[in-house]
Amino acid sequence: MEHACPDEALYVNARSITMEAVVSVQQDGSVSDSLTDGESSQINSDSSPSPAPLAQSGVTVFQLPGGQTVQVQGVIQAQPASVIQSPQQTGVEGDGDSAVDSQKRLEILSRRPSYRKILNELSSDSRSVPKIEEEKDEHVVASSSVATVTVPTSIYQTSSGQYFTISQGGALQLASGGAEALGGLQTLTLPSAGGPQAGATILQYAPQTTETSQFLLSGGQVLVQAATGDMPTYQIRSPASGLPQAVVMAASPGAMHSPPPHAEEVTRKREVRLMKNREAARECRRKKKEYVKCLENRVAVLENQNKTLIEELKALKDIYCHKAE
DNA sequence: ATCCTAGGACGTCATATTAT
DNA sequence: ATAATATGACGTCCTAGGAT
């Protein structure tokens, strides 16, 4: 899916291009479109540009042989090896900027990028990005055989060592088993088991094949984890399918070692925090990847535009050179 | 078949940033 | 001001691909 990159300006520098020229520069459709889109290009010119701040509004003035000028205001720094070169070529980068300004810009550019901001804007643009379930109130309910979920966001462990939590709204987070336990959490929402119905949801874990896992809900429904790829899928099925149900155990990992109540609380809080951070890190990586993809696309587009503009400029130069003769 | 290496994904910690 | 969240940095694991 392609996104505009609403916030990339901060990191790639804002882009803008204006082609104010005594000579009107006719764009072909595609370029014109993207130009109005706020794209930029930066072309080495054969006349001295106005002092160009590093990050903003470097204005390049092209003097055509007929005396007309074309101003190009661009910010993205072009490769030094621009196609158009001239004897009097001067760099577009201005050096007359105040040190304070450039320091400010450096500061801004060196700040951590907020992928959240970016994604928020992205999501407000189009579809809404599914929010990660918030976990507000947490308690651990330990039971010897059956987990009665009395409070959202409890941490449970099945007999096979798999951990899961249930948060408000019925979001169930599964974790593959193992000593490290909470790795590889998956979130899903149980429409029928949903809601913080105290004591209403009983989960039973029934290992089946190596590829599927099932949870028996108190309503008689069965939650089946299908064979997974990157994104596991789950189905809630009717109880009609006779399940080989396994032992059910649900207890907080901390409770299993029976630590003192206070230590248990601390452990539980830590687990919840780690779990949240794990999810956050995953989401952050996802956003970052999306953002980088976005930037790469942008680069491709801008490179194309740069090429086109350079060719146009060449053509115009040719035209006016011939006229001048 | 085994070893080595690069690259990707993950979890955790520390800390920057944002929300309340 | 404080809590919550997001992100950079680091270490670990896994996998694919190449060299031996």
Side-chain angles (χ1 to χ4, degrees):
Chain A
M1 175 147 80
E2 295 295 313
H3 288 304
C5 305
D7 214 19
E8 78 177 85
L10 180 59
Y11 315 112
V12 187
N13 297 342
R15 300 173 309 281
S16 67
I17 181 169
T18 58
M19 295 209 68
E20 310 170 15
V22 180
V23 179
S24 68
V25 178
Q26 200 65 39
Q27 307 288 347
D28 66 31
S30 63
V31 174
S32 169
D33 277 349
S34 43
L35 283 176
T36 57
D37 202 14
E39 301 301 342
S40 77
S41 158
Q42 184 170 333
I43 306 172
N44 290 339
S45 75
D46 49 2
S47 75
S48 37
S50 56
L54 177 72
Q56 300 274 340
S57 68
V59 176
T60 304
V61 181
F62 294 92
Q63 188 114 36
L64 298 175
Q68 291 101 334
T69 59
V70 177
Q71 287 189 353
V72 176
Q73 183 179 41
V75 198
I76 285 203
Q77 300 180 20
Q79 307 262 356
S82 180
V83 176
I84 297 182
Q85 310 236 337
S86 77
Q88 305 141 294
Q89 175 181 355
T90 56
V92 175
E93 294 308 316
D95 54 355
D97 225 19
S98 71
V100 178
D101 272 4
S102 53
Q103 210 163 17
K104 262 186 187 173
R105 279 186 215 103
L106 276 177
E107 202 176 308
I108 289 172
L109 290 170
S110 65
R111 277 220 308 250
R112 281 186 178 178
S114 171
Y115 301 117
R116 174 170 53 175
K117 253 191 173 179
I118 297 168
L119 265 287
N120 277 347
E121 290 190 34
L122 285 176
S123 63
S124 68
D125 271 358
S126 49
R127 42 143 185 114
S128 60
V129 174
K131 298 274 183 198
I132 297 173
E133 292 284 339
E134 290 284 356
E135 296 166 341
K136 297 254 156 67
D137 194 0
E138 303 124 7
H139 284 278
V140 172
V141 178
S143 162
S144 58
S145 62
V146 173
T148 301
V149 181
T150 57
V151 189
T153 319
S154 306
I155 299 174
Y156 303 95
Q157 186 181 30
T158 67
S159 56
S160 67
Q162 188 168 34
Y163 287 92
F164 59 91
T165 68
I166 300 171
S167 65
Q168 260 176 340
L172 176 63
Q173 291 194 314
L174 302 175
S176 52
E180 290 302 303
L182 294 165
L185 282 169
Q186 302 126 18
T187 304
L188 64 157
T189 303
L190 307 179
S192 61
Q197 303 173 346
T201 305
I202 296 174
L203 294 177
Q204 289 186 312
Y205 178 64
Q208 291 236 303
T209 68
T210 53
E211 297 186 344
T212 65
S213 301
Q214 299 192 352
F215 290 88
L216 179 62
L217 309 177
S218 63
Q221 288 176 306
V222 179
L223 178 72
V224 179
Q225 176 186 0
T228 66
D230 275 344
M231 192 63 74
T233 58
Y234 295 86
Q235 293 179 323
I236 293 181
R237 295 180 182 167
S238 68
S241 53
L243 289 172
Q245 281 149 23
V247 182
V248 175
M249 189 179 84
S252 78
M256 301 206 298
H257 307 298
S258 322
H262 181 65
E264 179 184 344
E265 176 74 4
V266 169
T267 305
R268 186 187 58 78
K269 275 188 177 169
R270 176 185 154 79
E271 278 165 357
V272 168
R273 183 168 48 78
L274 288 181
M275 197 169 64
K276 281 184 176 178
N277 189 244
R278 205 176 298 131
E279 277 295 326
R282 202 173 294 145
E283 183 67 3
C284 186
R285 288 185 191 113
R286 190 186 64 75
K287 287 176 188 170
K288 190 176 183 179
K289 271 170 77 176
E290 196 174 329
Y291 175 68
V292 168
K293 239 184 222 171
C294 215
L295 288 185
E296 287 169 350
N297 289 343
R298 193 57 114 189
V299 166
V301 167
L302 290 175
E303 276 174 351
N304 266 344
Q305 287 175 0
N306 205 23
K307 235 187 226 171
T308 308
L309 287 172
I310 286 168
E311 280 164 12
E312 280 183 13
L313 196 57
K314 261 185 177 174
L316 284 172
K317 267 188 169 180
D318 280 353
I319 289 171
Y320 283 97
C321 279
H322 286 123
K323 259 192 183 176
E325 284 169 4

